[in-house]
């Protein structure tokens, strides 16, 4: 929340008028009373005070591992945060248009796998983790993937290609990892148009200067 | 609940400053509020607000940006240009709606 300090000329505001924090415009100084701008800068480390910046590193290509960064990145953008996303290793599948429609979700090695629907058969069953061997049954990955996609769609969450469109429109900066790109023999035409470039790890480290980094 | 008064018009807000009662909103109030955050409410700015008002009337929740695109047909890029920074929150506030809670 922010208290308006300087309303436009001719405006009459009540005492203690509460303006939501929109991250810009007229807001009272976020620094502690008496603290100078310089010491506030020191408290945040050596980085200059500017718009908030976040960098996401997507290293996984499973469907369930694609969503966290896409959702958080999108949320950050709508909070006015500058967002950079680096797709590396299996994460490159998220921006590869030949694969990103077909990302899969598997039960295998996911001990947190339980199904809310099972509670209807017997109460308590919805909290039981599925036997790991089930993940290896033929067709199980396809089944689990379809189910997750349906659950996401029910919550009005876009699928991965459409999510990338959304991020691109909202102004996200997306990059593909050079090493993975060469290793997987990907061609640039296959990358989602929102990907700004194929860059090296050190390029990304430079871009991410001053950012809060989230590794997925 | 705190009450905000601007130019003689009052409305109830939550502790962050968002509306709690949609019926306390009207377009004149929106114009006054917009001036506080440096927005000039022309037709282009008003169109998404009107959609949010009518959509939330049926759903009971403040629409997310994604819903404004998918259901309202608004272009995300345009919304960011009209309301730079935090578009969803700015629009919810100017439309007299509660703080948006959706993730996407």
């Amino acid at each position: 929340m922010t208290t308006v300090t300087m309303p436009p000329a001719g405006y009459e505001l009540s005492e203690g008028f509460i303006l939501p924090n929109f991250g810009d415009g007229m807001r009272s100084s976020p620094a502690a009373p008496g603290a100078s701008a310089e010491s506030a800068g020191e408290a945040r480390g050596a980085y200059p005070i500017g718009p908030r910046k976040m960098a996401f590193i997507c290293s996984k290509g499973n469907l369930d591992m694609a969503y966290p960064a896409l959702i958080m990145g999108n949320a950050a953008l709508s909070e006015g945060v500058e967002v950079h996303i680096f797709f590396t290793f299996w994460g490159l599948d998220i921006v590869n248009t030949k694969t990103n429609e077909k990302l899969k979700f598997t039960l295998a090695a996911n001990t947190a796998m339980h199904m809310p629907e099972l509670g209807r058969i017997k109460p308590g069953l919805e909290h039981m983790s599925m036997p790991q061997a089930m993940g290896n049954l033929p067709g199980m990955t396809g089944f689990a993937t379809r189910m997750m996609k349906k659950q996401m769609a029910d919550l009005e969450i876009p699928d991965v290609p459409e999510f990338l469109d959304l991020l691109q429109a909202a102004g996200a900066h997306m990059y593909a990892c050079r090493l993975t790109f060469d290793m997987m023999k990907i061609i640039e035409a296959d990358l989602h148009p929102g990907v700004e470039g194929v860059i090296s790890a050190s390029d990304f480290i430079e871009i991410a200067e001053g950012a809060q980094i989230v590794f997925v | 609940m705190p009450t905000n008064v601007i130019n003689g018009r009052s409305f109830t807000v939550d502790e962050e400053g968002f509306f709690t009662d949609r019926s306390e909103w009207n377009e004149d109030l929106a114009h006054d509020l917009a001036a506080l955050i440096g927005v000039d409410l022309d037709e282009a700015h008003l169109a998404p607000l009107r959609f949010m008002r009518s959509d939330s009337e049926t759903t009971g929740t403040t629409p997310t940006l994604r819903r404004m695109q998918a259901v309202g047909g608004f272009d995300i890029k345009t919304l960011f240009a009209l309301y730079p920074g935090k578009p969803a929150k700015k629009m919810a506030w100017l439309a007299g709606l509660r703080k948006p809670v959706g993730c996407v």
Side-chain angles (χ1 to χ4, degrees):
Chain A
M1 105 183 188
T2 318
T3 310
V4 178
T5 47
M6 285 189 344
Y11 273 68
E12 277 179 43
L13 299 185
S14 56
E15 185 87 7
F17 185 98
I18 308 169
L19 182 70
N21 181 4
F22 294 126
D24 56 20
M26 300 168 302
R27 57 174 167 173
S28 50
S29 168
S36 67
E38 213 178 331
S39 63
E42 273 167 19
R44 287 178 51 172
Y47 306 123
I49 297 177
R52 201 171 147 198
K53 184 173 171 184
M54 289 182 85
F56 295 87
I57 301 165
C58 293
S59 70
K60 301 283 186 190
N62 291 357
L63 182 63
D64 53 321
M65 295 306 275
Y67 275 114
L70 301 183
I71 292 172
M72 285 188 283
N74 185 56
L77 286 162
S78 63
E79 282 298 300
V81 177
E82 181 183 326
V83 170
H84 299 267
I85 314 178
F86 186 58
F87 296 91
T88 184
F89 273 79
W90 322 124
L92 206 59
D93 273 10
I94 300 172
V95 284
N96 184 347
T97 55
K98 287 281 194 297
T99 51
N100 67 2
E101 270 176 305
K102 294 176 280 195
L103 300 185
K104 290 184 178 63
F105 169 57
T106 177
L107 277 66
N110 182 7
T111 54
M113 180 67 209
H114 36 81
M115 284 169 67
E117 283 77 6
L118 292 182
R120 271 184 268 154
I121 301 169
K122 187 175 161 222
L125 220 52
E126 71 271 33
H127 307 303
M128 298 286 284
S129 127
M130 312 270 276
Q132 277 298 295
M134 276 185 75
N136 297 333
L137 296 179
M140 201 43 109
T141 296
F143 170 74
T145 301
R146 276 195 302 281
M147 210 165 125
M148 171 168 268
K149 283 188 169 175
K150 188 183 172 296
Q151 287 171 334
M152 296 303 249
D154 287 348
L155 293 173
E156 292 187 3
I157 310 240
D159 60 15
V160 170
E162 203 188 327
F163 219 132
L164 294 170
D165 297 342
L166 189 65
L167 286 165
Q168 182 187 7
H173 301 282
M174 300 189 271
Y175 316 95
C177 164
R178 160 69 54 197
L179 177 68
T180 320
F181 187 83
D182 292 342
M183 192 172 88
M184 311 269 198
K185 313 261 187 294
I186 295 167
I187 57 169
E188 218 154 317
D190 283 345
L191 292 176
H192 184 276
V195 176
E196 289 175 16
V198 182
I199 65 173
S200 71
S202 45
D203 290 338
F204 182 70
I205 297 300
E206 271 187 357
I207 289 168
E209 184 178 355
Q212 294 164 310
I213 296 187
V214 180
F215 181 88
V216 182
Chain B
M1 288 274 188
T3 305
N4 278 351
V5 185
I6 178 167
N7 300 340
R9 296 188 182 93
S10 67
F11 54 100
T12 324
V13 293
D14 63 13
E15 66 266 17
E16 285 183 86
F18 288 93
F19 280 73
T20 53
D21 182 355
R22 54 176 289 132
S23 69
E24 290 175 340
W25 179 94
N26 60 54
E27 269 190 33
D28 291 338
L29 174 59
H31 278 278
D32 283 358
L33 295 177
L36 287 186
I37 57 168
V39 169
D40 183 20
L41 271 195
D42 51 17
E43 276 308 304
H45 283 87
L46 279 167
L49 304 189
R50 291 195 184 116
F51 167 76
M52 291 174 90
R53 294 282 304 177
S54 65
D55 184 67
S56 62
E57 200 161 23
T58 47
T59 62
T61 40
T62 306
T64 60
L65 284 182
R66 152 81 177 151
R67 188 169 170 86
M68 305 206 41
Q69 179 203 41
V71 181
F74 292 96
D75 176 42
I76 296 278
K77 226 176 192 165
T78 312
L79 295 178
F80 269 87
L82 290 170
Y83 297 99
K86 306 190 181 189
K89 283 187 177 162
K90 285 181 176 176
M91 289 190 291
W93 183 64
L94 289 177
L97 302 173
R98 285 177 178 274
K99 179 184 170 180
V101 290
C103 274
V104 179

